[in-house]
Amino acid sequence: MLAKRFSDLKPYVPGEQPRDRAYVKLNANENPYPPSEAVRDAISRFDADALRFYPDPDASELRDALASMLGHGVTRDMIFAGNGSDEVLSFVFYAFFDSDRPLRFPEHTYSFYPVYAGYYGITVEKAPLASDWSVDLEALASGDSTGLIFPNPNAPTGIYVGLDRVRSLLDSYPSDRVVVVDEAYIDFGGETALSLLSEYPNLVIIRTFSKSFCFAGARLGFAVANPPLIEALFTVKNSFNHFPVDALTQKIGAAACGDAPYYRRINAEIAQTRDRFAAGLRGAGWEVLPSLANFVFARKRPHSGRRVYERAREAGFLIRHFDYPGISDFVRISVGLPADMERLSAVLTGL
Amino acid sequence: MLAKRFSDLKPYVPGEQPRDRAYVKLNANENPYPPSEAVRDAISRFDADALRFYPDPDASELRDALASMLGHGVTRDMIFAGNGSDEVLSFVFYAFFDSDRPLRFPEHTYSFYPVYAGYYGITVEKAPLASDWSVDLEALASGDSTGLIFPNPNAPTGIYVGLDRVRSLLDSYPSDRVVVVDEAYIDFGGETALSLLSEYPNLVIIRTFSKSFCFAGARLGFAVANPPLIEALFTVKNSFNHFPVDALTQKIGAAACGDAPYYRRINAEIAQTRDRFAAGLRGAGWEVLPSLANFVFARKRPHSGRRVYERAREAGFLIRHFDYPGISDFVRISVGLPADMERLSAVLTGL
């Protein structure tokens, strides 16, 4: 009874969520700090009666709040909000990437990209990383392509490439093909590309509330781009599901935007914890890639990623490893609370 | 910069949501009663800290609560929950309908069906309604098709077809092609087809919380079918967006399932209000189709639907009309609170 297109699907496998015991969950890059007071207040003050109405399909209040928070000349008509950045990315793929030329992205990157491509029958090509594991933007832009996408910082490496190099990429790439910079992890130390939007009509920046805004549970992500591209994303949304963002999620998203100082503070703490944790591992002979995200990507030869994952699990920590060629000896560890990271450091440095 | 597939999109146009003055909103089939106490409690007791984690991708607690509420031998593995029934329908189209034969649905029906079909490149064929405006199931099943879909009761007519006829349709149709019965409006007087699931492996039933459960604002819909079809829907979801249903929405959905008597009571009140309102219009010379939904579809010749819509709007009521051939003299009026419907009745019977 399945459609033929079904056979092309390769569903994404997210971080496990076992319930057999209490684990410190460091496998999904969730934020270890709670949402801000304004988010709490928005939930407790929410009028349940309002739920009987459909949400605002344009998410106007939320997009106004986002524009105020983002600065860089971003206006409401430059923002598209969706049910997590996963949905936003999916709409971006549908709207901008054709099937006759490949979409190019880095060899080791967010594993949902090939999944969306498969969903819409878009061919893909992977560009090798540079020898220091950073995204090689020249390799990415080489050859013919329908568009480009890369996270900055990249996942799962955590490595950030500077805005000067992003600008060079955009200068070298055809201006009528879309370049997506996925800034899911930008709030942990990198510099956003929002300032480039005024110069590059083909630039699309993706953001999420799941990491730096502490609400993976209320699905909210957004794209920032020039108005013609944002209009196209609205057309796709309105062809699929008019109301993907819950009314309450819109409210608490807008509330969170007003608490930007709180989020800056906790994300700066996460960055400090990350650097301390990475230094500890390095001191014990680990190779730790230089991360500006809320996770580290590290290995201790000759241990396999699976071996390290299992050791951490025995000690009550969930982390991730990837059975992919080239990175199977690495683990990705989300940065949690300082005390938890010290305990995990003690476990791993004893390996 | 747009992909070629983009040109096939015809976005759905939902009921307007003007903000220029206070209207009685009877244009989106929303429920006029508030969600139940258990929903209020679930919101006010919700632990904001939990938002930092991704929601349960399997929606296990919610699906258990749904199985308990639904009865008819429905188990958790027969339920798939999504971000509104719109998203669930979209995944159903992706999973089960091919492009080499047409998907067939009634001529006048939920206008999102051709939209999804266009989104995935599925060809469509419309089967004419019977002369009494009911869905003609024999016409629907005739010819070659990749699958069938129809709402029961149908929208925008409100007309319900009996289970005996649904059973005959399923008996006559190839058992390896999917038949979708969209029961968005089943809780206002019709008899559900859930009892047929044990006999028909190709039957998919779609439900939503937006109408009879009073929470259009928190996006939640679900499909009920036999486990192999539900597994296929999970595969599609996991290829698109692992976590489409907010954590809080899962909680309040489960809470609502425990308050089934409340929802039965308010939906019975809506059915009574509907019948009283329809009788009033008929008494004034209106043609009102026999509805078992939470709306009525009616006309008063020689007035156009647009004219009636405009008169209602002047009086402070938002209703819908459709500029489609064959139904342009009808209006669709959602059933609101008794006092509002009496006021609207006075306006319309004066036409």
Side-chain angles (χ1 to χ4, degrees), chain A residues 286 296-298 305 308-309 319-321 329-333:
Chain A
W286 284 64
V296 296
F297 201 52
V308 177
Y309 156 82
I319 63 176
R320 286 205 77 172
H321 70 100
D329 52 355
F330 278 92
V331 289
R332 191 195 71 186
I333 305 169

Side-chain angles (χ1 to χ4, degrees), chain A residues 3-5 12 30 40 49 51 54 90 94-95 97-98 100 211 217 219 240 242-243 246-249, chain B residues 3-5 12 30 40 49 51 54 90 94-95 97-98 100 119 211 217 219 240 242-243 246 248-249:
Chain A
K4 296 189 188 83
R5 72 178 75 75
Y12 175 75
E30 292 150 333
R40 263 169 219 289
D49 280 12
L51 284 183
Y54 282 94
S90 167
Y94 188 93
F97 300 140
D98 267 314
D100 50 356
K211 317 297 183 189
R219 310 298 301 132
F240 181 78
H242 245 273
F243 307 104
D246 284 17
L248 179 56
T249 300
Chain B
K4 295 187 189 85
R5 71 177 77 76
Y12 175 76
E30 291 150 334
R40 264 169 218 289
D49 280 11
L51 284 182
Y54 282 95
S90 167
Y94 188 92
F97 300 141
D98 267 313
D100 50 355
Y119 194 75
K211 317 297 183 186
R219 311 297 301 129
F240 181 78
H242 244 272
F243 307 103
D246 284 17
L248 179 56
T249 300

Side-chain angles (χ1 to χ4, degrees), chain A residues 285 299-308 328-329 351:
Chain A
R299 63 181 165 185
K300 172 86 180 283
R301 284 170 162 162
H303 297 300
S304 68
R306 174 176 296 276
R307 167 81 188 93
V308 177
S328 61
D329 52 355
L351 258 172

Side-chain angles (χ1 to χ4, degrees), chain B residues 240-325:
Chain B
F240 181 78
N241 181 354
H242 244 272
F243 307 103
V245 184
D246 284 17
L248 179 56
T249 300
Q250 293 190 27
K251 274 266 181 251
I252 66 180
C257 291
D259 268 350
Y262 168 80
Y263 293 100
R264 270 197 298 275
R265 191 173 77 240
I266 62 169
N267 294 326
E269 282 175 23
I270 289 168
Q272 283 176 12
T273 306
R274 172 195 68 210
D275 294 344
R276 211 160 45 232
F277 178 73
L281 290 184
R282 285 194 191 102
W286 284 64
E287 179 182 1
V288 186
L289 301 190
S291 169
L292 284 188
N294 68 338
F295 56 84
V296 296
F297 201 53
R299 62 181 167 186
K300 172 84 180 284
R301 286 170 161 162
H303 297 301
S304 69
R306 175 176 294 278
R307 167 82 188 91
V308 177
Y309 156 83
E310 282 167 356
R311 178 70 195 90
R313 201 178 202 284
E314 285 159 20
F317 296 89
L318 294 176
I319 63 176
R320 287 205 75 172
H321 70 100
F322 302 89
D323 285 332
Y324 303 144

Side-chain angles (χ1 to χ4, degrees), chain B residues 43-59:
Chain B
I43 295 174
S44 63
R45 281 189 288 104
F46 187 76
D47 174 14
D49 280 11
L51 284 182
R52 67 189 184 82
F53 295 111
Y54 282 95
D56 175 8
D58 298 326

Side-chain angles (χ1 to χ4, degrees), chain A:
Chain A
M1 283 181 264
L2 301 176
K4 296 189 188 83
R5 72 178 75 75
F6 189 87
S7 60
D8 291 333
L9 293 183
K10 294 176 199 71
Y12 175 75
V13 179
E16 62 185 332
Q17 307 193 23
R19 320 229 177 247
D20 58 328
R21 57 176 277 199
Y23 290 96
V24 178
K25 198 168 173 306
L26 304 175
N27 66 347
N29 299 341
E30 292 150 333
N31 200 303
Y33 297 100
S36 68
E37 276 305 306
V39 168
R40 263 169 219 289
D41 289 351
I43 295 173
S44 62
R45 281 189 289 103
F46 187 75
D47 175 13
D49 280 12
L51 284 183
R52 66 190 185 83
F53 296 111
Y54 282 94
D56 175 8
D58 298 327
S60 301
E61 180 191 345
L62 168 65
R63 288 158 68 219
D64 283 343
L66 280 168
S68 292
M69 180 188 70
L70 291 172
H72 292 287
V74 172
T75 50
R76 182 209 287 193
D77 60 354
M78 295 171 67
I79 298 171
F80 173 82
N83 182 257
S85 67
D86 285 342
E87 186 188 68
V88 176
L89 282 166
S90 167
F91 291 163
V92 164
F93 275 49
Y94 188 93
F96 304 127
F97 300 140
D98 267 314
S99 311
D100 50 356
R101 288 172 299 185
L103 170 68
R104 289 178 65 87
F105 48 77
E107 183 171 1
H108 297 296
T109 194
Y110 186 35
S111 54
F112 234 132
Y113 300 156
V115 170
Y116 296 134
Y119 195 74
Y120 297 126
I122 300 163
T123 56
V124 302
E125 255 179 33
K126 296 181 183 177
L129 297 182
S131 58
D132 66 355
W133 295 94
S134 68
V135 174
D136 182 339
L137 294 182
E138 287 180 24
L140 188 67
S142 70
D144 196 17
S145 52
T146 187
L148 308 177
I149 183 168
F150 66 100
N152 201 23
N154 191 21
T157 63
I159 298 177
Y160 173 78
V161 297
L163 274 198
D164 52 333
R165 293 174 55 198
V166 176
R167 178 187 288 278
S168 298
L169 169 81
L170 288 161
D171 285 335
S172 76
Y173 195 70
S175 64
D176 62 348
R177 299 184 198 164
V178 166
V179 175
V180 181
V181 182
D182 184 347
E183 293 191 340
Y185 301 103
I186 197 66
D187 290 330
F188 303 100
E191 186 185 357
T192 175
L194 288 170
S195 61
L196 303 181
L197 285 170
S198 60
E199 297 169 66
Y200 300 98
N202 58 334
L203 173 61
V204 174
I205 295 169
I206 304 291
R207 293 283 190 93
T208 176
F209 274 67
S210 298
K211 317 297 183 189
S212 55
F213 279 89
C214 319
F215 56 100
R219 310 298 301 132
L220 189 57
F222 58 100
V224 192
N226 282 284
L229 300 188
I230 295 299
E231 276 173 38
L233 292 176
F234 270 99
T235 298
V236 175
K237 171 181 85 69
N238 292 344
S239 300
F240 181 78
N241 181 355
H242 245 273
F243 307 104
V245 185
D246 284 17
L248 179 56
T249 300
Q250 293 188 26
K251 274 266 181 248
I252 66 180
C257 291
D259 268 350
Y262 168 81
Y263 293 100
R264 270 198 298 276
R265 193 176 74 241
I266 61 169
N267 294 326
E269 282 175 25
I270 289 168
Q272 282 176 14
T273 306
R274 172 195 66 210
D275 293 344
R276 210 161 44 232
F277 178 74
L281 289 184
R282 284 193 192 104
W286 284 64
E287 180 182 2
V288 186
L289 301 189
S291 170
L292 284 187
N294 67 338
F295 55 84
V296 296
F297 201 52
R299 63 181 165 185
K300 172 86 180 283
R301 284 170 162 162
H303 297 300
S304 68
R306 174 176 296 276
R307 167 81 188 93
V308 177
Y309 156 82
E310 282 166 358
R311 178 70 195 92
R313 202 177 201 281
E314 284 159 20
F317 295 90
L318 293 176
I319 63 176
R320 286 205 77 172
H321 70 100
F322 302 88
D323 284 331
Y324 302 145
I327 58 170
S328 61
D329 52 355
F330 278 92
V331 289
R332 191 195 71 186
I333 305 169
S334 308
V335 177
L337 296 172
D340 288 329
M341 300 313 285
E342 277 172 37
R343 287 199 301 123
L344 178 59
S345 187
V347 171
L348 297 184
T349 53
L351 258 172

